[in-house]
Amino acid sequence: MKVEDALEIVSQTDPGMVRSHNEDSVAQEPACGLVVLADGMGGYNAGEVASGIAVSVVATEISHRLQEASPVEYDEETGEELGVSLLRSNIQKANASIYHASQSQPQYAGMGTTIVSGLFYDNRLVAGHVGDSRMYRLRGETLEIVTRDHSLLQEQIDSGMISLEDARLSKNKNLVTRAVGIDAEVVPEIHVYDVQLGDIYLLCSDGLNDMVEDGDIEATLYAMQGNLPLAAEQLIQMANDNGGRDNVSVILVKVKGDFAVPRGWLTELLNWFKK
């Protein structure tokens, strides 16, 4: 089954109840199984510009490359599968584009963005992120966080300085330790996961998880897994009902079928020898 037939993808974004404009950006490329979400930061409209650049570069470059190549091909430059190297290199390309714009245009000085992205192929997910926009996975009745926030608060939790309970009340929630476009280079965190039939993946900006407890997100996704558009709408409504202090964006991806990449024995043998 083609990846676009095996996945159901829904996205929604909202400015929230406080902000006058939306600095989040989302994109989906169903034909190659790609989803991207970014949460911009910076004065005036600079955050919106940064997130827009990030999403556009990653979505455009990867979808274009995968029109002529398979994501399971071996990348001779990196020694990785092409799908993995494409996600990493294009997040870095987005970083360079944003950094250049911020350095050359005074109105964009200091702008940056988080990013969380997923590339689905061959019954797997390549997840890449920078910053504190998250990816969750609902498998069965259990919601898990796939990504780990690049934030001061997460570092404090990991070191034992602060408990999870106290973290919910912390004023350091939005202090990221890594972002796209702030420095000349960035190191995206990339992981590969096997997917299962029925999995639901949620990508979101912190406007959702800062406003809605993980338990409530879990209950909503489980109850509405048969209606993803309604689930996305409900999640955003919950964030707004709880104050909506930030822009809130969600992308939902449900695995509905098998999307293994067909391979001949010769392709498998060649890839094995290249490794």
XYZ file of all heavy atoms in Angstrom, residues 122-187:
514
model
N 8.154 2.628 4.948
C 8.581 1.251 5.201
C 8.156 0.754 6.591
O 8.927 0.086 7.284
C 10.101 1.139 5.023
C 10.547 -0.307 4.783
O 9.770 -1.067 4.176
O 11.660 -0.656 5.220
N 6.930 1.108 6.995
C 6.381 0.719 8.296
C 7.204 1.241 9.469
O 7.251 0.639 10.541
C 6.226 -0.805 8.407
C 5.115 -1.313 7.512
O 4.183 -0.595 7.176
N 5.214 -2.571 7.106
N 7.869 2.370 9.250
C 8.655 3.004 10.301
C 8.396 4.504 10.308
O 7.796 5.067 9.389
C 10.152 2.750 10.087
C 10.591 1.340 10.432
C 12.035 1.114 10.043
N 12.178 1.104 8.593
C 13.317 1.382 7.960
N 14.402 1.708 8.642
N 13.380 1.336 6.650
N 8.866 5.125 11.360
C 8.782 6.577 11.506
C 10.163 7.108 11.839
O 10.809 6.641 12.783
C 7.813 6.940 12.642
C 7.968 8.331 13.273
C 7.584 9.431 12.293
C 7.136 8.442 14.548
N 10.617 8.086 11.060
C 11.813 8.844 11.426
C 11.317 10.144 12.061
O 10.648 10.948 11.415
C 12.702 9.158 10.214
C 13.974 9.887 10.664
C 13.071 7.880 9.474
N 11.620 10.323 13.342
C 11.196 11.514 14.072
C 12.390 12.422 14.279
O 13.442 11.982 14.760
C 10.588 11.124 15.422
N 12.235 13.690 13.918
C 13.306 14.666 14.095
C 12.770 15.904 14.779
O 11.688 16.378 14.435
N 13.513 16.415 15.758
C 13.031 17.628 16.425
C 14.173 18.458 16.987
O 15.282 17.980 17.232
C 12.026 17.283 17.524
C 12.626 16.900 18.843
N 13.305 15.710 19.047
C 12.667 17.545 20.036
C 13.712 15.633 20.302
N 13.352 16.743 20.933
N 13.853 19.738 17.163
C 14.729 20.692 17.846
C 13.822 21.584 18.677
O 12.853 22.151 18.163
C 15.531 21.570 16.845
C 16.385 22.585 17.597
C 16.396 20.715 15.930
N 14.110 21.712 19.977
C 13.294 22.573 20.833
C 12.258 21.792 21.621
O 12.440 20.607 21.914
N 11.144 22.461 21.955
C 10.168 21.831 22.855
C 8.807 21.565 22.223
O 7.846 21.281 22.941
C 9.995 22.668 24.130
C 9.443 24.063 23.866
O 9.268 24.434 22.682
O 9.196 24.794 24.845
N 8.713 21.636 20.896
C 7.502 21.121 20.258
C 7.596 19.597 20.289
O 8.677 19.033 20.093
C 7.379 21.614 18.819
O 7.073 22.996 18.800
N 6.484 18.934 20.548
C 6.523 17.516 20.895
C 5.871 16.600 19.871
O 5.024 17.015 19.089
C 5.816 17.289 22.231
C 6.544 17.839 23.427
C 5.791 17.523 24.709
N 6.506 18.005 25.891
C 6.062 17.894 27.130
N 4.889 17.320 27.361
N 6.776 18.354 28.141
N 6.259 15.322 19.983
C 5.550 14.246 19.308
C 5.144 13.218 20.362
O 5.956 12.820 21.198
C 6.413 13.575 18.238
C 5.679 12.459 17.493
S 6.742 11.542 16.322
C 7.069 12.803 15.096
N 3.861 12.844 20.330
C 3.330 11.802 21.190
C 2.883 10.622 20.327
O 2.605 10.796 19.132
C 2.093 12.279 21.952
C 2.291 13.351 23.000
C 2.352 14.694 22.653
C 2.359 13.021 24.354
C 2.484 15.683 23.621
C 2.480 13.994 25.333
C 2.552 15.324 24.961
O 2.677 16.298 25.927
N 2.761 9.454 20.951
C 2.197 8.283 20.266
C 1.150 7.635 21.154
O 1.415 7.315 22.318
C 3.283 7.254 19.968
C 2.752 5.989 19.247
C 3.800 4.918 19.157
N 4.143 4.394 20.477
C 5.325 3.849 20.784
N 6.277 3.782 19.873
N 5.549 3.394 21.995
N -0.057 7.465 20.609
C -1.088 6.676 21.278
C -1.058 5.282 20.667
O -1.332 5.111 19.487
C -2.475 7.294 21.095
C -3.608 6.520 21.785
C -3.566 6.736 23.293
C -4.978 6.938 21.234
N -0.704 4.297 21.483
C -0.703 2.893 21.048
C -1.597 2.128 22.008
O -1.303 2.029 23.195
C 0.717 2.329 21.037
C 0.802 0.849 20.664
C 2.239 0.430 20.419
N 2.748 0.976 19.157
C 4.032 0.901 18.775
N 4.922 0.310 19.570
N 4.414 1.417 17.614
N -2.706 1.621 21.476
C -3.694 1.010 22.354
C -4.349 2.095 23.198
O -4.895 3.055 22.670
N -4.248 1.952 24.514
C -4.834 2.945 25.412
C -3.777 3.859 26.028
O -4.107 4.712 26.854
C -5.601 2.238 26.544
C -6.746 1.369 26.056
C -7.459 0.684 27.212
O -7.194 1.069 28.375
O -8.275 -0.221 26.965
N -2.514 3.683 25.625
C -1.413 4.365 26.308
C -0.784 5.453 25.448
O -0.390 5.207 24.306
C -0.322 3.351 26.712
O -0.912 2.312 27.499
C 0.777 4.033 27.513
N -0.686 6.652 26.014
C -0.026 7.776 25.355
C 1.394 7.900 25.885
O 1.615 7.916 27.093
C -0.798 9.075 25.630
C -0.285 10.321 24.895
C -0.672 10.267 23.416
C -0.833 11.591 25.531
N 2.355 7.989 24.973
C 3.757 8.180 25.352
C 4.325 9.379 24.600
O 3.931 9.669 23.477
C 4.581 6.947 25.006
C 4.219 5.687 25.765
C 5.124 4.527 25.357
O 6.262 4.459 25.872
O 4.688 3.718 24.519
N 5.287 10.054 25.244
C 6.003 11.140 24.572
C 7.154 10.529 23.782
O 8.001 9.840 24.352
C 6.531 12.182 25.573
C 5.398 12.749 26.431
C 7.246 13.311 24.833
C 5.868 13.723 27.505
N 7.174 10.757 22.490
C 8.213 10.211 21.625
C 9.479 11.067 21.697
O 10.597 10.554 21.687
C 7.705 10.111 20.166
C 8.815 9.679 19.223
C 6.531 9.141 20.080
N 9.312 12.385 21.745
C 10.445 13.301 21.769
C 10.793 13.704 23.202
O 9.997 13.530 24.123
C 10.120 14.566 20.961
O 8.880 15.126 21.431
C 9.990 14.246 19.480
N 11.973 14.242 23.369
C 12.411 14.780 24.659
C 12.682 16.262 24.466
O 13.490 16.647 23.619
C 13.665 14.053 25.133
C 14.253 14.588 26.433
C 15.567 13.882 26.762
N 16.265 14.562 27.847
C 17.040 15.631 27.678
N 17.204 16.157 26.468
N 17.642 16.182 28.717
N 12.013 17.109 25.257
C 12.158 18.561 25.103
C 13.617 18.997 25.238
O 14.325 18.552 26.149
C 11.345 19.306 26.170
C 9.846 19.136 26.000
O 9.418 18.603 24.964
O 9.106 19.554 26.923
N 14.031 19.884 24.352
C 15.313 20.573 24.517
C 15.025 21.873 25.269
O 14.850 22.933 24.674
C 15.944 20.871 23.155
C 16.216 19.652 22.344
N 15.979 19.582 20.984
C 16.699 18.431 22.694
C 16.310 18.392 20.538
N 16.750 17.669 21.568
N 14.935 21.760 26.592
C 14.538 22.900 27.417
C 15.252 22.865 28.756
O 15.693 21.807 29.224
C 13.023 22.906 27.647
O 12.641 21.810 28.470
N 15.337 24.034 29.385
C 15.920 24.123 30.713
C 15.124 23.287 31.703
O 15.696 22.599 32.559
C 15.964 25.587 31.164
C 16.502 25.844 32.577
C 17.933 25.358 32.715
C 16.394 27.338 32.920
N 13.813 23.325 31.578
C 12.960 22.575 32.489
C 13.225 21.072 32.379
O 13.299 20.368 33.391
C 11.489 22.885 32.202
C 10.465 22.274 33.151
C 10.699 22.748 34.576
C 9.045 22.623 32.705
N 13.377 20.561 31.159
C 13.651 19.134 30.970
C 14.996 18.761 31.587
O 15.140 17.688 32.196
C 13.637 18.783 29.483
C 13.782 17.291 29.196
C 12.610 16.490 29.714
O 11.468 16.768 29.400
N 12.896 15.479 30.539
N 15.988 19.636 31.460
C 17.294 19.381 32.060
C 17.189 19.333 33.579
O 17.842 18.520 34.238
C 18.301 20.444 31.619
C 18.683 20.347 30.150
C 19.734 21.365 29.746
O 20.109 22.209 30.599
O 20.187 21.325 28.588
N 16.352 20.221 34.139
C 16.161 20.227 35.589
C 15.459 18.946 36.052
O 15.790 18.385 37.097
C 15.349 21.456 36.004
C 16.108 22.765 35.831
C 15.238 23.974 36.120
O 14.015 23.940 35.966
N 15.874 25.064 36.539
N 14.497 18.468 35.249
C 13.810 17.218 35.570
C 14.785 16.047 35.494
O 14.847 15.198 36.388
C 12.624 16.984 34.607
C 11.530 18.034 34.835
C 12.054 15.579 34.784
C 10.449 18.028 33.767
N 15.587 16.006 34.432
C 16.532 14.904 34.239
C 17.580 14.846 35.348
O 18.041 13.756 35.720
C 17.230 15.041 32.884
C 16.295 14.819 31.711
O 15.187 14.290 31.930
O 16.666 15.171 30.575
N 17.987 16.007 35.862
C 19.017 16.057 36.899
C 18.455 15.850 38.296
O 19.211 15.759 39.266
C 19.755 17.390 36.844
O 18.882 18.456 37.209
N 17.124 15.786 38.396
C 16.493 15.598 39.691
C 16.311 16.871 40.490
O 15.918 16.843 41.668
N 16.572 18.020 39.863
C 16.434 19.298 40.562
C 14.972 19.653 40.830
O 14.671 20.416 41.747
C 17.084 20.428 39.737
C 18.590 20.382 39.667
S 19.225 21.695 38.599
C 18.576 23.159 39.421
N 14.085 19.114 39.991
C 12.674 19.465 40.101
C 11.834 18.229 39.787
O 12.215 17.417 38.934
C 12.325 20.649 39.155
C 10.904 21.142 39.393
C 12.536 20.271 37.703
C 10.593 22.438 38.628
N 10.738 18.062 40.482
C 9.869 16.918 40.240
C 8.925 17.204 39.079
O 8.729 18.360 38.686
C 9.042 16.608 41.494
O 8.107 17.657 41.730
N 8.324 16.148 38.538
C 7.364 16.330 37.453
C 6.177 17.164 37.908
O 5.630 17.964 37.148
C 6.887 14.965 36.937
C 7.884 14.174 36.095
C 7.358 12.774 35.835
C 8.164 14.894 34.781
N 5.782 16.982 39.171
C 4.646 17.740 39.706
C 4.975 19.233 39.765
O 4.179 20.086 39.345
C 4.273 17.234 41.102
C 3.680 15.829 41.119
C 4.704 14.740 40.865
O 5.917 15.008 41.030
O 4.306 13.623 40.486
N 6.185 19.548 40.284
C 6.585 20.951 40.373
C 6.838 21.544 38.989
O 6.663 22.740 38.774
C 7.844 21.099 41.226
C 7.582 20.807 42.698
O 6.410 20.897 43.117
O 8.543 20.481 43.420
N 7.253 20.694 38.047
C 7.543 21.175 36.696
C 6.309 21.772 36.035
O 6.411 22.716 35.243
C 8.092 20.036 35.843
N 5.143 21.233 36.371
C 3.913 21.746 35.770
C 3.636 23.202 36.163
O 2.940 23.919 35.451
C 2.723 20.873 36.181
C 2.782 19.450 35.659
C 1.471 18.718 35.882
N 1.543 17.342 35.444
C 1.778 16.312 36.241
N 1.956 16.516 37.544
N 1.818 15.085 35.772
N 4.193 23.609 37.298
C 3.961 24.971 37.793
C 5.149 25.892 37.532
O 5.113 27.066 37.895
C 3.671 24.930 39.304
C 2.529 24.017 39.752
C 2.457 23.968 41.270
C 1.208 24.501 39.168
N 6.194 25.369 36.908
C 7.413 26.139 36.712
C 7.217 27.311 35.748
O 6.435 27.235 34.799
C 8.524 25.227 36.171
O 9.674 25.973 35.827
N 7.961 28.386 36.012
C 7.940 29.545 35.112
C 8.996 29.424 34.023
O 9.128 30.314 33.193
C 8.170 30.824 35.921
C 7.048 31.118 36.928
C 7.307 32.405 37.681
C 6.169 32.688 38.665
N 6.403 33.938 39.451
N 9.751 28.323 34.042
C 10.806 28.120 33.051
C 10.358 27.253 31.874
O 11.178 26.741 31.129
C 12.029 27.459 33.700
C 12.690 28.351 34.713
O 12.620 29.571 34.604
N 13.318 27.756 35.719
N 9.052 27.066 31.720
C 8.544 26.141 30.710
C 9.020 26.465 29.295
O 9.226 25.574 28.484
C 7.015 26.134 30.730
C 6.422 25.270 31.841
C 4.917 25.185 31.687
C 4.303 24.234 32.718
N 2.852 24.127 32.557
N 9.152 27.728 28.976
C 9.388 28.108 27.583
C 10.834 28.482 27.288
O 11.118 29.081 26.253
C 8.459 29.259 27.206
C 6.997 28.933 27.465
O 6.342 29.576 28.273
N 6.491 27.904 26.809
N 11.755 28.115 28.183
C 13.166 28.412 27.959
C 13.822 27.229 27.254
O 14.196 26.241 27.885
C 13.869 28.702 29.293
C 13.351 29.920 30.072
C 14.077 30.057 31.399
C 13.534 31.189 29.243
N 13.936 27.318 25.934
C 14.508 26.210 25.165
C 16.031 26.299 25.159
O 16.607 27.384 25.212
C 13.969 26.164 23.722
C 12.475 25.904 23.716
C 14.303 27.443 22.967
N 16.677 25.143 25.124
C 18.137 25.089 25.091
C 18.670 24.844 23.686
O 19.880 24.876 23.465
C 18.649 23.967 26.021
O 18.024 22.730 25.647
C 18.307 24.276 27.474
N 17.779 24.606 22.752
C 18.161 24.375 21.363
C 17.028 24.852 20.477
O 15.866 24.568 20.754
C 18.408 22.879 21.140
C 19.327 22.551 19.976
C 19.439 21.050 19.757
N 19.886 20.278 20.910
C 20.087 18.964 20.896
N 19.866 18.275 19.776
N 20.475 18.324 21.980
N 17.346 25.597 19.427
C 16.321 26.079 18.511
C 16.905 26.192 17.113
O 18.122 26.229 16.928
C 15.767 27.425 18.978
N 16.029 26.270 16.133
C 16.442 26.377 14.730
C 16.610 27.854 14.368
O 15.698 28.654 14.565
C 15.391 25.722 13.810
C 15.784 25.875 12.342
C 15.212 24.248 14.165
N 17.790 28.215 13.864
C 18.019 29.564 13.366
C 18.721 30.501 14.318
O 19.096 31.610 13.925
N 18.916 30.103 15.568
C 19.546 30.985 16.547
C 21.061 31.025 16.371
O 21.697 32.072 16.478
C 19.195 30.545 17.985
C 17.673 30.609 18.189
C 19.913 31.398 19.011
C 17.081 31.993 18.056
N 21.646 29.861 16.115
C 23.094 29.748 15.889
C 23.362 29.310 14.454
O 22.452 28.836 13.763
C 23.715 28.745 16.865
C 23.563 29.185 18.312
O 23.863 30.361 18.613
O 23.138 28.354 19.147
N 24.615 29.439 14.049
C 24.978 29.110 12.664
C 24.756 27.625 12.358
O 24.488 27.256 11.217
C 26.435 29.485 12.406
N 24.872 26.781 13.377
C 24.660 25.345 13.177
C 23.756 24.807 14.276
O 23.710 25.360 15.377
C 26.004 24.590 13.194
C 26.924 24.978 12.042
C 28.208 24.173 12.039
O 28.400 23.345 12.955
O 29.018 24.362 11.113
N 23.048 23.742 13.972
C 22.191 23.096 14.960
C 22.276 21.580 14.781
O 22.541 21.097 13.673
C 20.716 23.572 14.829
C 20.057 22.961 13.579
C 19.908 23.258 16.072
N 22.088 20.859 15.884
C 22.096 19.401 15.827
C 20.679 18.901 16.113
O 20.220 18.936 17.251
C 23.070 18.797 16.858
C 23.034 17.266 16.787
C 24.483 19.316 16.630
